Amino acid sequence: PDPGDRIVKTYPNPATTNITFDLQQHFRQGLSIKIYNGLLGKKMYETTLLQDKTTINLSDFNRGIYIYHLTDVTGKIIESGKFQVSR
């Protein structure tokens, strides 16, 4: 898919201390973001997005690849992506 069509933009990537999830399209109520360790598949973080831009502190994240799922109010995954944490 064309990156311009993505619902959420993540930056910086790779990230060191924080990562920002920036919703590109019309903000919808009830979206959640879940972050998983890319290697182990363990859920590291979950939050309901209350505004169009959310910054997450990565102090509890080890370096590596993480996968995120953007889910709607029913829990259906509407977008996935990954980002890297480097220290």
Side-chain angles (χ1 to χ4, degrees):
D2 174 11
D5 292 343
R6 294 188 67 80
I7 298 168
V8 70
K9 196 164 87 179
T10 55
Y11 56 87
N13 191 3
T16 51
T17 54
N18 294 299
I19 189 156
T20 298
F21 291 87
D22 190 354
L23 288 166
Q24 299 298 300
Q25 296 176 12
H26 174 66
F27 180 67
R28 299 207 308 263
Q29 291 295 324
L31 294 181
S32 295
I33 200 124
K34 295 180 178 139
I35 301 174
Y36 297 88
N37 180 305
L39 201 58
L40 307 172
K42 178 179 157 223
K43 183 159 61 170
M44 300 289 296
Y45 187 87
E46 178 176 358
T47 189
T48 301
L49 300 174
L50 300 174
Q51 63 264 348
D52 58 2
K53 201 177 282 194
T54 300
T55 299
I56 296 168
N57 182 308
L58 297 174
S59 58
D60 291 341
F61 289 62
N62 293 321
R63 66 179 288 180
I65 301 289
Y66 291 86
I67 295 168
Y68 66 85
H69 296 310
L70 186 67
T71 57
D72 67 13
V73 71
T74 68
K76 179 171 160 258
I77 296 172
I78 53 177
E79 187 167 289
S80 292
K82 57 184 165 188
F83 64 92
Q84 184 178 345
V85 174
S86 60
R87 298 249 189 265

